[in-house]
Amino acid sequence: MTEEATRATVATADGGNGRRRSRGATGSDYTAASIQVLEGLEAVRRRPGMYIGSTDTRGLHHLVWEVVDNSIDEAMAGHATTIVVTITADGMVVVQDDGRGVPVGRHSTGKDALEVVHTVLHAGGKFGGSGYKVSGGLHGVGVSVVNALSQWLRVETARDGHVYAQEYERGKPTMGVAKIGPQGNRKGTRTAFRADAEMFETTDYSFDLISQRLRESAYLTKGVWITLRDERVDRERSFYFEGGLRSFVRHLNRTKEVLHARPIYVERREGSTFVEVALQYNDSYTENVLAFANNINTVDGGSHVTGFRAALTSSLNDWARRAGVLKEADGNLSGDDVREGLTAVISVKLTEPQFEGQTKAKLGNAEVKGQVQAAVADSLAQYLDENPADGRRIIEKCLTAARAREAARKARDLVIRKGALDGLSLPGKLADCQERDPERSELYIVEGDSAGGSAKQGRDRRFQAVLPLRGKLLNVEKARLDKIVASENIRPLIIALGAGIEGIGDSFDIAKLRYHRIIIMTDADVDGAHIRTLLLTFFYRHMPQVIEAGYLFVAQPPLYRVSTGKVTRYAQSERERDQIVKDMNVKNLSVQRFKGLGEMNADQLWETTMNPDTRTLLRVDSENAALADEIFTMLMGEKVAPRKEFIKTEARKVRNLDV
């Protein structure tokens, strides 16, 4: 999980929560001269979000994925065994493989093939099937988009006895394709690029994020060595896995107690599609399923995930009845029941995948559903017949999940009925806002009545709602749904948000969400950080759509107030406080440390933390699902050893410890 710093910059007459609208052109303004034709890669620079999703840190790292995926395609085709990714000391990225190299020579367009690949959209060797039988980059826009959004890019290709090179600036060649030396023992392609700071909000690459992605690629492509080097801090990691998906699942479950020692493994070719699946149950209450198509992480699922889920539900129900664990009078286990505590990795490789959008978030091939379903159903039935003890443990867990889900449903229905009878559909502690448009409404979740009182007084009631939480917050990582719904802290939050919760009945419906800006506002100390982590765990586990939609934020209240009497400034750290004191250069300064939000006056809380003109919010993002799952399990789960190791490893990075 990463958090992207975003500052609220909109301020209109509705209290700072509106959105500025530009006036449309009048009819007389719209003429033939208004029609623009964007040449070459100009369209990419004009609308980068259409090609890489965004221009924040997610889009920045998408450049790396596009180049690395080309090298992975070479490995999947059996032509590359080594990939090295380097973040240079001055912030460039270099990707090198030992594959076949990009072709060179005169193309039918009149340009060199190397230049065509890097400067023309929809140009590549992955359309007709002659270059690649299986690949992730099928639109032919990947490396050309990287080129368009790079201040500088240089590609070198070793093939046909020579090494060739070409350089570009913002997508335009600055030299012809040049022969720079003999090939010798060198193989493959080397691409170096510097992301254009004019196009991105940040050009700071995350070692951990890239490392996690490369680890996944190594699991998915058995037998390839992948190395990541970070010259900024002299750090290096290498990945190589012969176990493939089985090793991947073991890695994902390493901080959890598993129900069966060996992951269940599926490997089969269905027609032209290669299906590979590994799955293993653990004692947690959440599902962690990762899906890939041609090594591309399809975060929004698709037909391969649909086929897997159908096979899992039907196979477990069929076996449970054959084994007598489910009686004739018992109802079938639901999809939610059989996926509780499941960790699985689904990988399909096919010649003509149909992705939705250039960012390839969802697989659309209809035939893949049946192919995956058939492969998983047959293999799972065979495994359960051969390992009945494992099967019974899995079914017992599913039955326990079903009972907990039914209890949670009854608790939810009771809350709804009680609210309807009392005429109070919203929790009494909630101070709601006047605005009813979710896009213009925000909810502050605060800790305790004292902070809640200050927030209620300081807010702009037109669009800001406040919900105080009292008592010890439930750790949802260690609780089933029935306990979560019954919690005196969590239940009011679920009701206030109005969209339900994952795993009960119709589950979570984001269209019913009452606020599109949900802000966690806790004290800036250790206890506040703990409450914040508990809330983040809840949203990640049971309302992930809120995070995916970009609706969850963390407020940044100050720790210090520095005042001369006439001038007042606020600081969020000791370092910032010291700098303010130095800048003010006044003898009689008043420095106040806030121990909690409740110590702040309402006007101070508004000025520093709630006013859209002056506040700073951190948007919560879960770019990497596997990494986020691992962190939450480690920090909030049952196993102590992984948490202890994490604390020992990270303790050296701590600064300004509040004890």
Side-chain angles (χ1 to χ4, degrees), residues 314-611:
S314 61
S315 296
L316 288 178
N317 275 297
D318 290 347
W319 185 85
R321 293 199 182 280
R322 291 202 316 271
V325 184
L326 272 182
K327 306 302 181 185
E328 192 172 317
D330 295 334
N332 275 344
L333 297 165
S334 71
D336 288 330
D337 299 332
V338 302
R339 294 195 299 271
E340 182 180 288
L342 171 69
T343 295
V345 180
I346 308 162
S347 176
V348 294
K349 293 175 181 175
L350 56 165
T351 54
E352 294 290 341
Q354 299 167 13
F355 292 109
E356 293 187 7
Q358 166 57 16
T359 53
K360 311 180 184 83
K362 189 174 184 179
L363 183 68
N365 298 64
E367 73 279 4
V368 172
K369 175 184 179 294
Q371 293 169 336
V372 173
Q373 186 171 349
V376 173
D378 290 348
S379 297
L380 188 55
Q382 180 179 344
Y383 178 89
L384 294 172
D385 286 339
E386 294 174 355
N387 302 272
D390 289 350
R392 288 182 179 276
R393 280 193 293 271
I394 292 171
I395 298 300
E396 284 300 327
K397 179 171 179 59
C398 296
L399 288 170
T400 304
R403 289 190 288 268
R405 213 170 305 281
E406 181 61 26
R409 185 180 293 107
K410 290 179 179 178
R412 182 201 62 178
D413 293 343
L414 179 62
V415 168
I416 293 173
R417 286 198 303 273
K418 185 177 184 298
L421 291 173
D422 294 347
L424 299 172
S425 57
L426 294 175
K429 286 289 182 180
L430 173 69
D432 207 2
C433 57
Q434 298 167 356
E435 180 62 62
R436 289 295 174 262
D437 182 355
E439 290 190 8
R440 304 168 70 88
S441 304
E442 51 189 51
L443 173 67
Y444 276 86
I445 306 170
V446 299
E447 173 193 358
D449 289 337
S450 178
S454 295
K456 288 177 182 178
Q457 293 177 44
R459 69 181 174 133
D460 187 326
R461 66 181 62 246
R462 287 176 294 178
F463 66 93
Q464 290 179 325
V466 175
L467 177 65
L469 302 179
R470 288 194 308 170
K472 184 178 179 182
L473 194 65
L474 180 70
N475 180 3
V476 300
E477 190 73 14
K478 300 179 181 180
R480 276 201 167 91
L481 273 171
D482 53 333
K483 300 295 184 184
I484 294 170
V485 175
S487 167
E488 293 298 322
N489 266 317
I490 300 296
R491 187 174 67 248
L493 177 58
I494 297 171
I495 297 172
L497 294 175
I501 183 174
E502 276 289 341
I504 303 178
D506 297 329
S507 295
F508 184 84
D509 184 358
I510 199 165
K512 296 179 181 178
L513 194 67
R514 301 183 64 246
Y515 312 92
H516 284 186
R517 189 177 279 112
I518 302 165
I519 304 165
I520 299 172
M521 185 167 68
T522 60
D523 294 345
D525 59 9
V526 173
D527 290 338
H530 184 230
I531 297 295
R532 184 166 63 245
T533 303
L534 288 167
L535 284 168
L536 289 172
T537 306
F538 167 72
F539 279 104
Y540 179 77
R541 292 302 191 196
H542 296 285
M543 295 185 182
Q545 298 94 327
V546 169
I547 298 175
E548 293 164 5
Y551 295 160
L552 186 62
F553 298 82
V554 175
Q556 296 293 285
L559 265 176
Y560 297 96
R561 175 180 181 269
V562 183
S563 177
T564 64
K566 296 182 179 180
V567 179
T568 300
R569 293 177 64 183
Y570 296 90
Q572 293 180 348
S573 66
E574 290 183 4
R575 179 181 298 178
E576 190 176 348
R577 176 204 62 189
D578 294 342
Q579 185 61 48
I580 291 173
V581 170
K582 182 179 179 181
D583 292 344
M584 285 186 164
N585 195 25
V586 178
K587 291 183 178 180
N588 297 321
L589 278 177
S590 170
V591 179
Q592 177 187 3
R593 187 189 190 284
F594 298 112
K595 292 183 179 178
L597 296 173
E599 289 190 355
M600 300 177 70
N601 297 329
D603 58 342
Q604 292 175 333
L605 192 57
W606 164 257
E607 179 184 354
T608 62
T609 318
M610 302 184 75
N611 183 351

Side-chain angles (χ1 to χ4, degrees), residues 1-38:
M1 181 188 65
T2 60
E3 296 180 341
E4 301 167 9
T6 58
R7 182 174 294 276
T9 56
V10 290
T12 61
D14 69 353
N17 196 42
R19 295 184 177 179
R20 299 191 185 278
R21 293 180 173 87
S22 60
R23 295 184 178 180
T26 62
S28 59
D29 293 331
Y30 189 58
T31 66
S34 303
I35 306 300
Q36 297 182 7
V37 177
L38 302 179

Side-chain angles (χ1 to χ4, degrees), residues 6 44 634:
T6 58
V44 181
M634 178 172 53

Side-chain angles (χ1 to χ4, degrees), residues 245-382:
L245 297 197
R246 281 173 287 204
S247 298
F248 198 171
V249 167
R250 287 193 183 100
H251 171 76
L252 295 173
N253 271 343
R254 73 188 188 283
T255 60
K256 302 169 184 175
E257 295 289 348
V258 297
L259 299 191
H260 47 105
R262 293 184 298 114
I264 302 171
Y265 183 65
V266 179
E267 184 179 38
R268 179 185 293 188
R269 182 169 294 279
E270 293 280 347
S272 60
T273 302
F274 180 72
V275 179
E276 189 179 11
V277 177
L279 63 105
Q280 187 179 42
Y281 281 87
N282 58 65
D283 64 350
S284 74
Y285 308 127
T286 56
E287 170 193 3
N288 184 23
V289 174
L290 303 180
F292 300 84
N294 291 7
N295 280 30
I296 302 298
N297 187 356
T298 47
V299 293
D300 293 335
S303 53
H304 51 335
V305 176
T306 303
F308 168 77
R309 288 181 169 179
L312 184 72
T313 304
S314 61
S315 296
L316 288 178
N317 275 297
D318 290 347
W319 185 85
R321 293 199 182 280
R322 291 202 316 271
V325 184
L326 272 182
K327 306 302 181 185
E328 192 172 317
D330 295 334
N332 275 344
L333 297 165
S334 71
D336 288 330
D337 299 332
V338 302
R339 294 195 299 271
E340 182 180 288
L342 171 69
T343 295
V345 180
I346 308 162
S347 176
V348 294
K349 293 175 181 175
L350 56 165
T351 54
E352 294 290 341
Q354 299 167 13
F355 292 109
E356 293 187 7
Q358 166 57 16
T359 53
K360 311 180 184 83
K362 189 174 184 179
L363 183 68
N365 298 64
E367 73 279 4
V368 172
K369 175 184 179 294
Q371 293 169 336
V372 173
Q373 186 171 349
V376 173
D378 290 348
S379 297
L380 188 55
Q382 180 179 344

